[in-house]
Amino acid sequence: MTPTPTPAAGPVENDTGGIGGHPRGLTTLFFAEMWERFSFYGMRAILTYFMVLAVAEGGLGYDDRKAAGIYGTYTMSGYLLSILGGFIADNFIGARRAVLIGGIVIASGHFTMALDSEITFFIGLALVAAGTGLLKPNISTMVGSLYSPADARRDAGFSLFYMGINLGAFISPLVCGYLAQGEGWRATLGRWGLDPRSSWHWGFAAAGVGMTLGLIVYVLQRGRLAHVGNVPPPEADGSRPWGRVGLVLLGSLALITAMWFSDAYKWIVYLLFGLQVALILFFAFRPSQESKRIAAILVFFFAAEIFWAIFEQTGSSIALFADRLTDNRIFGWGFPSSWWQSVNSVWVILLAPVFAWLWIRLGPKQPSSPVKFALGLLFVALSFAWMVPAAKLTAGGLISPLWLLVLFLLQTVGEMLLSPVGLSTMTKLAPPRLLGLVMGIWFLAAALGNKLAGVVAGEFKSTNAGELATFFWHQALAVGVCTLVLFALVPWVRKLMGGVH
Ligand code: GLN
């Protein structure tokens, strides 16, 4: 990629050559992120199945709990390393180059997983997590940089970007899932004289091909992004904050390690929760408005963490439910269980325009962000309450796919209320000098939520309908209580936000 080109002359408002009258750079970032998410979700769709599959059948032969734990640690690591990835871009290499390097690391990770061994599996996962940390936060920052702060197209630009994310997330489980699990493809491998049990590695490789396509788009169209994500200027004395990057790296690795150990030592999780509550109280009762806003950010953090802890079980407990307990046929035609991973994205693509319309329609009468967050929590709680009768029905055999279809609908409504709203609320509440950090904190909530999802999903029982119903009911109840608490806290949180809606 060209090193630090001169910024484009003239305001970016003049550039309307991209999709829907947006800057042309948005089209490039849209497709680059679409392919990155293609690789992320395609691989994720088959990860748990591969881990729990017997060794004789080509898998790793892990039990459900171990697989859910590894899955949670891996997804957590990608989001957690976003803090480091954002910091490196902000202080050393700039977002544009960080995205390029991140993409290359991700693709090498997927190709490493294409090799058939346990060690390459883990090296590949580590590479994908590291690359995601470098790419994900910085590609989002670049979207923001395409618009001047006053540009009215900004929010719509982010919505289009979210559609790109979900387009990739929709297509990839279909492709990677078919390659990994599809009977037709396995038969083809057999005809080629290859071992049909290696099909999983074709799925992982396909994820790498997707990321490579994203990189090609990104490099070919780099000219459109020449004015954003440049290498930041060094400090006045020419130095770079090497000491601090070491600190962020150590902090991130320490947190990942602590969370890894939380599989064996549950008290680490409780300690972390306690710490969060203490921090909220500490900031809320300090006199400055800035501290009070930080307390509000931490309340949102807490709610988001709980939300993702349910939502992100899609790749673990819900994936196992889809595989073992659901009748995966439409009109008599069977499909691979990994295709379920596409359903959330289909709902996003259908619902995002509805919500965009709703917010414009309601204008100033729309609910405040803490209310939207509480509603988001309510919908994920409802989604698991909905699974209680579904779980009971599994006693009589495979259940209708309609159950999971509605589960994903409820969860996606929750996502629409919390995820994009959270992103914009964070940017509004953050003190300007802490913007990058606050963004990192937002992704940290996703990181911890993903880990928690893995911990909770470890309790999944597919062999006993009664226990399975309890699994869903306990979680619905716990999140239901959090929802009530958040609703009760709304007036307080609004006060903490000090005028920000
Ligand atoms: N589904 C969205 C994505 O993949 C949001 C994920 C998140 O913030 N945890 O980008």
Side-chain angles (χ1 to χ4, degrees):
M1 176 151 296
T2 17
T4 330
T6 30
V12 274
E13 280 96 314
N14 292 344
D15 184 357
T16 54
I19 355 176
H22 283 266
R24 282 170 312 143
L26 184 70
T27 317
T28 306
L29 295 177
F30 178 100
F31 285 111
E33 176 65 343
M34 184 189 93
W35 284 115
E36 186 269 331
R37 290 285 101 179
F38 173 100
S39 74
F40 183 81
Y41 285 106
M43 188 271 268
R44 201 188 79 150
I46 53 179
L47 197 57
T48 301
Y49 296 150
F50 173 70
M51 285 192 280
V52 298
L53 190 70
V55 177
E57 291 173 50
L60 293 177
Y62 297 164
D63 63 31
D64 291 359
R65 184 185 295 271
K66 182 169 175 185
I70 293 173
Y71 174 84
T73 305
Y74 152 70
T75 47
M76 169 193 72
S77 306
Y79 286 113
L80 208 149
L81 289 169
S82 293
I83 299 180
L84 180 65
F87 188 83
I88 290 177
D90 285 351
N91 294 288
F92 296 90
I93 56 177
R96 204 175 59 242
R97 212 172 286 172
V99 168
L100 179 71
I101 300 172
I104 294 172
V105 175
I106 291 173
S108 7
H110 288 312
F111 290 131
T112 308
M113 293 173 81
L115 305 173
D116 186 3
S117 81
E118 201 166 345
I119 181 82
T120 46
F121 175 76
F122 283 107
I123 294 175
L125 277 186
L127 286 171
V128 176
T132 304
L134 209 47
L135 186 146
K136 183 81 170 134
N138 295 314
I139 198 163
S140 324
T141 322
M142 278 166 79
V143 174
S145 314
L146 290 172
Y147 306 90
S148 64
D151 196 324
R153 297 171 300 171
R154 195 184 173 85
D155 278 3
F158 269 107
S159 306
L160 275 170
F161 186 69
Y162 214 75
M163 293 287 258
I165 287 176
N166 283 287
L167 209 56
F170 160 59
I171 307 165
S172 61
L174 304 181
V175 178
C176 300
Y178 175 73
L179 291 176
Q181 294 181 300
E183 288 310 324
W185 174 247
R186 279 179 204 224
T188 309
L189 286 177
R191 275 198 300 279
W192 289 350
L194 298 169
D195 185 354
R197 289 174 307 179
S198 69
S199 61
W200 298 89
H201 300 282
W202 289 82
F204 295 137
V209 171
M211 187 64 251
T212 308
L213 289 173
L215 282 170
I216 293 174
V217 173
Y218 190 69
V219 171
L220 287 181
Q221 302 187 344
R222 64 187 179 280
R224 296 172 172 188
L225 299 167
H227 58 297
V228 290
N230 283 316
V231 179
E235 311 271 304
D237 60 358
S239 69
R240 301 270 182 195
W242 288 106
R244 264 182 290 155
V245 80
L247 224 61
V248 180
L249 176 67
L250 280 182
S252 304
L253 292 182
L255 203 53
I256 291 178
T257 314
M259 293 312 282
W260 180 276
F261 276 111
S262 73
D263 285 346
Y265 306 102
K266 287 275 177 320
W267 57 264
I268 297 182
V269 176
Y270 300 124
L271 184 77
L272 218 68
F273 274 131
L275 197 70
Q276 288 173 41
V277 174
L279 279 175
I280 292 173
L281 295 176
F282 172 77
F283 282 107
F285 292 106
R286 282 166 65 103
S288 81
Q289 183 55 59
E290 193 171 294
S291 298
K292 292 192 192 309
R293 286 199 177 142
I294 290 177
I297 287 173
L298 293 173
V299 174
F300 289 129
F301 177 94
F302 202 86
E305 182 182 338
I306 305 287
F307 178 86
W308 296 121
I310 301 289
F311 184 92
E312 292 290 351
Q313 288 180 48
T314 300
S316 46
S317 61
I318 299 299
L320 294 173
F321 191 103
D323 190 59
R324 297 172 186 166
L325 305 169
T326 309
D327 184 9
N328 292 323
R329 280 182 302 174
I330 340 175
F331 307 121
W333 176 76
F335 58 89
S337 50
S338 44
W339 284 17
W340 277 109
Q341 303 293 323
S342 289
V343 176
N344 161 244
S345 296
V346 176
W347 283 128
V348 171
I349 293 165
L350 293 174
L351 288 179
V354 177
F355 274 90
W357 170 84
L358 187 70
W359 300 146
I360 292 172
R361 178 76 205 263
L362 288 175
K365 285 204 288 270
Q366 62 182 288
S368 64
S369 34
V371 173
K372 286 182 185 165
F373 260 69
L375 287 171
L377 276 188
L378 177 68
F379 273 93
V380 273
L382 286 177
S383 77
F384 266 30
W386 166 260
M387 290 306 284
V388 174
K392 289 198 173 138
L393 283 175
T394 61
L398 298 180
I399 60 161
S400 156
L402 278 176
W403 288 99
L404 285 184
L405 218 53
V406 174
L407 163 94
F408 285 119
L409 171 64
L410 292 169
Q411 292 200 345
T412 310
V413 172
E415 180 183 3
M416 294 286 97
L417 286 159
L418 181 135
S419 182
V421 178
L423 221 53
S424 79
T425 310
M426 291 301 127
T427 52
K428 281 187 272 184
L429 284 173
R433 69 195 154 81
L434 298 180
L435 194 61
L437 183 71
V438 169
M439 228 8 146
I441 289 178
W442 175 247
F443 281 116
L444 184 64
L448 297 180
N450 269 281
K451 179 61 195 163
L452 211 55
V455 174
V456 182
E459 303 301 320
F460 179 78
K461 307 264 180 340
S462 59
T463 46
N464 181 321
E467 281 177 4
L468 188 60
T470 313
F471 169 82
F472 287 115
W473 182 235
H474 279 174
Q475 293 183 68
L477 218 57
V479 180
V481 171
C482 293
T483 310
L484 290 179
V485 172
L486 191 56
F487 269 122
L489 290 180
V490 166
W492 185 63
V493 177
R494 289 191 65 177
K495 227 167 51 216
L496 290 176
M497 291 169 76
V500 171
H501 195 58

